[in-house]
Amino acid sequence: MNTPTENIDLWEILKKVPDPEIPAINLVELGVIRVVERLENDKLKITITPTYTGCPAKKLFEELILEELAKHGYNDVEIISKLNPAWTTDWLSNETREKLLKDGISPPTIGDRVIICPQCKSTNTKLLSQFGSTPCQSLYSCNDCQEPFNYFKCH
Ligand SMILES: [Zn+2]
């Protein structure tokens, strides 16, 4: 049985938990993990904000978080869902947006809502379907390179 590692930053552990839908980014980068508290006797309290209400990934987020923490000896973990303020794609950092783009997913843009083709960076794109490979993405196609791509929807 593992014992909790005293000196490890809990955020570093949580950064190992991938987004089940987009494994290139983790739940910290996604902005799902909001607050991490270390209570008495190595009990942890984690506050998460699911990407949107009814997102099928919510249960999976919790399981993945518990699994990763257990690997580091944290077996007494309480996960609280906080729905207010609601998760928004504005919580994604520029670094995270770059990662999405490299993974072939067009990241949501703040402000002007221009949709960029991850292949050729063209902004001359059109919507093919509201639903892409996951409910959190839409399917677009690029008018310049003709490649279809997934766009991470804004909420
Ligand atoms: Zn293109």
Side-chain angles (χ1 to χ4, degrees):
M1 187 177 155
N2 294 325
T3 47
T5 322
E6 280 296 327
N7 298 320
I8 195 161
D9 183 352
L10 292 169
W11 286 101
E12 291 307 314
I13 298 175
L14 293 166
K15 279 181 190 163
K16 291 182 187 149
V17 184
D19 174 6
E21 291 180 348
I22 310 164
I25 62 172
N26 63 59
L27 293 186
V28 175
E29 291 170 322
L30 191 63
V32 161
I33 299 175
R34 307 307 302 164
V35 185
V36 178
E37 292 163 272
R38 201 191 283 261
L39 309 175
E40 277 174 26
N41 303 320
D42 291 312
K43 180 181 162 77
L44 303 180
K45 191 168 135 189
I46 314 282
T47 306
I48 66 168
T49 298
T51 38
Y52 63 90
T53 318
C55 186
K58 181 183 173 280
K59 189 81 200 132
L60 201 51
F61 288 163
E62 297 185 2
E63 285 169 14
L64 291 169
I65 291 168
L66 292 177
E67 195 181 308
E68 192 60 45
L69 288 168
K71 277 190 215 163
H72 293 84
Y74 294 99
N75 296 300
D76 193 1
V77 181
E78 185 185 358
I79 298 182
I80 292 172
S81 287
K82 189 168 177 277
L83 300 174
N84 218 332
W87 182 87
T88 158
T89 43
D90 291 352
W91 291 357
L92 300 172
S93 67
N94 285 335
E95 204 183 4
T96 304
R97 286 165 206 270
E98 281 297 315
K99 273 197 187 180
L100 285 170
L101 204 55
K102 280 198 193 108
D103 201 44
I105 297 164
S106 185
T109 46
I110 300 173
D112 57 7
R113 304 292 187 213
V114 170
I115 293 166
I116 306 160
C117 166
Q119 263 74 241
C120 70
K121 311 288 185 281
S122 166
T123 52
N124 183 11
T125 56
K126 66 169 184 280
L127 177 70
L128 291 183
S129 163
Q130 276 300 332
F131 295 96
S133 56
T134 77
C136 300
Q137 295 169 27
S138 305
L139 192 62
Y140 273 76
S141 127
C142 175
N143 293 326
D144 287 334
C145 73
Q146 312 299 327
E147 289 289 327
F149 63 90
N150 283 301
Y151 172 66
F152 200 110
K153 264 188 246 177
C154 300
H155 310 279

